[in-house]
Amino acid sequence: MTMQRREVLNWACGACVGAVGLARAQDGLGLNDAALGSGRRFGFAIDPGYANKEPVKSLLRQHAGVITAENAMKWRNIENVAGVSDYTRADWVADTAERLGAALRGHTLAWHQSTPAYLSTATREVFAVAQTAHLQAMTARYRGRIHTWDVLNEVIDGDQKNKSGLRESVLSELWGEDRYPELFELARASDTRAKLAYNDYGMEQNEPWCERRRTAVLRMLEQWIKRKTPVDVMGLQAHLDVSRKFSATRLSRFFDELRALGLGIQITELDVRDALQPGTVSDRDAATAALYKDFMDTCMGHAAVEMIVMWNVTDEESWVNRGVQAPRRPDGQPMRPTLFDMQGQPKAAFAAVAGSLRQAAVPFDLKNTNTKHV
Ligand code: 9MR
């Protein structure tokens, strides 16, 4: 299928979702309704544990036009024991997206952190067979339902000593860096309609380490595209931090650089950490809202940015307040990274994001993305 034809199908698929969105747009309250005004989508990553409970359930009904499975589609969660796959939770997320009339992002087919533990000591041959089988099973099972697959996640390590800027991991060791493009070829062969994304973090702010990561990712993508790898989208996770510098000019230039490679851009895991931000809750919320606004205005000012997905819905279930890896605030308070507080009430960040979506300076331009390299 030609890229143009695939784009038409993607667009048609989007139009169905849009019809649901338009019906809701009358009340003007939904974030996805606001995003549709400039041809974009807005949504959230969810997991079954909390997404079927209030207040998350109602917030999704009101605001979600895209759904990503926070954990349910990860390989380790599907196949924890060799040869035994359980798709119950992944299916629930896919069905929930459908019930909401939302597009579905598949996350993620290959990632060092989601490789099942039983494979960590596998030979390269055994690993290659297992990774291929997993990718093919997932893309076949959800074929026709996925808007975009995160094919490969987080292989950049701008700080590593090796010149390639790529991360050393179980994936680089057992699959091989030189074979990353094959993951996209396998995904395209199995699902010709889904857009295929490379997804990574730490490239949105204006810090030297972000600059190194941007340089490394552009170099990697350029090489892939030269060898005709079917990568359509750069997924920018956008786990932002209010204590880090931000430059709209620099981020916009990075968007230009990605677009010059023919790539679309999706913001895939947006949230704002405030672990080091001092002051009262309302001071912290004001600083967070200001960064949300600057970031969102930059995204809404660029034609290649197609969608914005938040990582979690409320501060209550946000990953930054959960799990061992969560960096804690010195005052012991939870962070306030999402648009809704612990009770699901909108915060200053909600108003900032809603305003940005409504006043988008530039519409998403389908024509000028995904066309050069296929
Ligand atoms: O939010 C996710 C958390 O619940 C999981 O424990 C963790 C490991 O699977 O993954 C988190 O999500 C990550 C995402 O898959 C990739 N980008 C970074 C996200 C936050 O760590």
Side-chain angles (χ1 to χ4, degrees):
M1 191 183 323
T2 65
M3 178 54 78
Q4 259 169 347
R5 166 118 177 92
R6 203 155 55 78
E7 279 305 323
V8 169
L9 284 171
N10 278 334
W11 173 238
C13 182
C16 312
V17 173
V20 177
L22 283 176
R24 289 186 307 182
Q26 313 300 328
D27 59 20
L29 293 176
L31 292 173
N32 188 58
D33 304 328
L36 286 171
S38 67
R40 298 183 171 90
R41 297 160 190 276
F42 191 91
F44 305 87
I46 59 165
D47 260 347
Y50 54 80
N52 206 21
K53 297 190 195 124
E54 296 298 351
V56 172
K57 199 172 167 187
S58 297
L59 290 171
L60 291 174
R61 264 204 308 272
Q62 194 171 358
H63 300 291
V66 195
I67 290 294
T68 305
E70 182 186 2
N71 288 308
M73 290 192 181
K74 289 172 184 168
W75 187 4
R76 185 178 274 237
N77 300 332
I78 298 270
E79 189 195 4
N80 197 22
V81 177
V84 184
S85 296
D86 181 356
Y87 297 94
T88 317
R89 292 164 67 80
D91 286 351
W92 187 89
V93 174
D95 294 346
T96 299
E98 239 154 57
R99 273 198 302 276
L100 290 166
L104 179 62
R105 295 190 84 266
H107 175 79
T108 167
L109 295 171
W111 184 30
H112 61 280
Q113 275 195 46
S114 67
T115 299
Y118 78 85
L119 282 169
S120 59
T121 51
T123 62
R124 287 182 66 118
E125 289 69 26
V126 167
F127 186 88
V129 169
Q131 173 70 75
T132 302
H134 169 70
L135 183 153
Q136 288 175 332
M138 291 298 282
T139 45
R141 184 174 188 91
Y142 298 106
R143 193 182 290 140
R145 301 174 79 185
I146 297 279
H147 179 283
T148 303
W149 265 116
D150 285 333
V151 175
L152 180 60
N153 197 42
E154 301 178 3
V155 300
I156 294 297
D157 185 347
D159 285 332
Q160 222 155 61
K161 290 203 183 68
N162 70 50
K163 285 237 170 63
S164 70
L166 298 189
R167 177 196 297 276
E168 283 166 16
S169 73
V170 63
L171 205 58
S172 64
E173 211 178 295
L174 296 183
W175 178 264
E177 291 171 2
D178 51 329
R179 295 187 56 203
Y180 290 154
E182 277 176 53
L183 294 163
F184 291 82
E185 285 153 16
L186 286 165
R188 176 57 43 87
S190 177
D191 185 341
T192 53
R193 286 180 59 172
K195 294 192 189 197
L196 305 182
Y198 172 69
N199 193 49
D200 213 331
Y201 65 88
M203 300 178 184
E204 301 83 6
Q205 293 196 260
N206 203 25
E207 302 282 346
W209 63 274
C210 297
E211 192 60 37
R212 288 195 289 278
R213 294 176 61 81
R214 283 190 286 267
T215 305
V217 84
L218 287 170
R219 192 167 46 214
M220 178 183 79
L221 291 168
E222 203 176 341
Q223 283 165 8
W224 290 1
I225 287 164
K226 251 191 219 141
R227 57 178 275 193
K228 307 241 183 300
T229 304
V231 54
D232 305 308
V233 167
M234 175 72 210
L236 292 171
Q237 295 184 4
H239 291 293
L240 308 182
D241 191 315
V242 76
S243 58
R244 292 181 188 142
K245 295 193 196 76
F246 176 75
S247 160
T249 316
R250 182 63 192 99
L251 181 59
S252 194
R253 187 148 54 85
F254 182 47
F255 289 166
D256 288 343
E257 289 163 337
L258 292 167
R259 194 184 193 181
L261 292 173
L263 295 169
I265 297 164
Q266 297 178 0
I267 306 302
T268 54
E269 307 186 11
L270 178 60
D271 57 12
V272 176
R273 272 170 285 194
D274 66 343
L276 302 176
Q277 186 68 17
T280 63
V281 161
S282 99
D283 295 339
R284 287 165 52 195
D285 281 1
T288 298
L291 178 55
Y292 265 112
K293 177 172 166 37
D294 287 347
F295 178 75
M296 286 294 297
D297 284 352
T298 312
C299 294
M300 296 301 108
H302 205 286
V305 176
E306 178 177 8
M307 62 168 69
I308 309 284
V309 181
M310 302 289 311
W311 206 245
N312 303 121
V313 185
T314 78
D315 291 346
E316 169 75 23
E317 85 281 352
S318 166
W319 71 285
V320 308
N321 289 325
R322 246 191 297 134
V324 281
Q325 84 269 46
R328 308 279 171 202
R329 287 178 56 81
D331 61 10
Q333 294 296 309
M335 282 187 258
R336 299 176 61 83
T338 72
L339 308 184
F340 301 98
D341 69 12
M342 294 279 183
Q343 286 71 43
Q345 293 303 310
K347 301 183 296 178
F350 173 87
V353 168
S356 237
L357 289 170
R358 281 198 205 99
Q359 288 149 31
V362 176
F364 170 57
D365 185 352
L366 201 66
K367 286 196 303 298
N368 290 326
T369 54
N370 297 345
T371 49
K372 291 180 192 154
H373 55 277
V374 175

